[in-house]
């Protein structure tokens, strides 16, 4: 059996895509995103049946939030973008989807064969 779709979520970019006051509590905003992502692990994403493996890449003030069942949290020691590119490369030929609106990151991961989708893919608000 093939490995499930690997969904790598750019926490900073997705959280920052809606001006809802996230900047007052970056860690809390990342935790809320993580908790919303749990439902997608089993059910899948729009147009993608579940289960999927979800990895949430956090940086800055969001580093240190814990993984939960269904969502593995990966802290970026430096650039979140660089860590996401590394995760895509490490996954090899596995089907990968990176959720971000960052144009440069989208270009970099697409060059490695990953698909890309915008923040609305995982924002149900």
């Amino acid at each position: 059996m093939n490995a499930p779709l690997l969904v790598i979520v750019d926490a900073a970019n997705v959280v920052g895509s809606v001006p809802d006051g996230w900047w007052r509590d970056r860690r809390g905003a990342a935790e809320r995103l993580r908790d919303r992502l749990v439902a997608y692990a089993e059910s899948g994403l729009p147009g993608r049946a579940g289960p999927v493996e979800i990895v949430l890449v956090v940086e800055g003030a969001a580093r240190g939030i814990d993984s939960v069942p269904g969502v593995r949290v990966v802290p970026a020691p430096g650039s979140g973008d660089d860590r996401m590119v590394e995760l895509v490369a490490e996954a090899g030929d596995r089907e990968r989807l990176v959720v971000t609106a960052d144009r440069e990151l989208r270009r970099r991961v697409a060059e490695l064969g990953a698909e890309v989708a915008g923040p609305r893919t995982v924002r149900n608000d």
Side-chain angles (χ1 to χ4, degrees):
M1 183 174 153
N2 291 339
L5 172 68
L6 175 61
V7 180
I8 301 169
V9 180
D10 181 349
N13 189 269
V14 173
V15 164
S17 68
V18 176
D20 61 1
W22 58 264
W23 50 88
R24 290 188 293 270
D25 180 13
R26 294 170 195 261
R27 182 186 176 102
E31 288 173 332
R32 288 188 297 278
L33 172 60
R34 176 203 60 200
D35 295 345
R36 283 197 313 266
L37 292 173
V38 170
Y40 295 114
E42 284 302 317
S43 66
L45 298 170
R48 303 295 198 117
V52 298
E53 180 184 348
I54 299 178
V55 175
L56 181 65
V57 177
V58 296
E59 58 188 293
R63 269 191 229 114
I65 69 170
D66 294 324
S67 296
V68 295
V71 180
R72 179 166 51 107
V73 177
V74 174
S79 159
D81 290 5
D82 289 347
R83 186 66 186 114
M84 284 179 275
V85 170
E86 289 169 2
L87 289 167
V88 167
E90 290 167 4
D93 291 337
R94 182 175 176 190
E95 190 177 12
R96 300 146 297 170
L97 174 70
V98 176
V99 179
T100 184
D102 183 297
R103 281 194 205 132
E104 177 62 13
L105 176 58
R106 290 170 76 104
R107 182 193 65 74
R108 290 173 67 193
V109 298
E111 285 178 354
L112 295 172
E115 295 179 63
V116 292
R120 287 188 181 146
T121 305
V122 296
R123 289 203 70 111
N124 51 4
D125 47 14

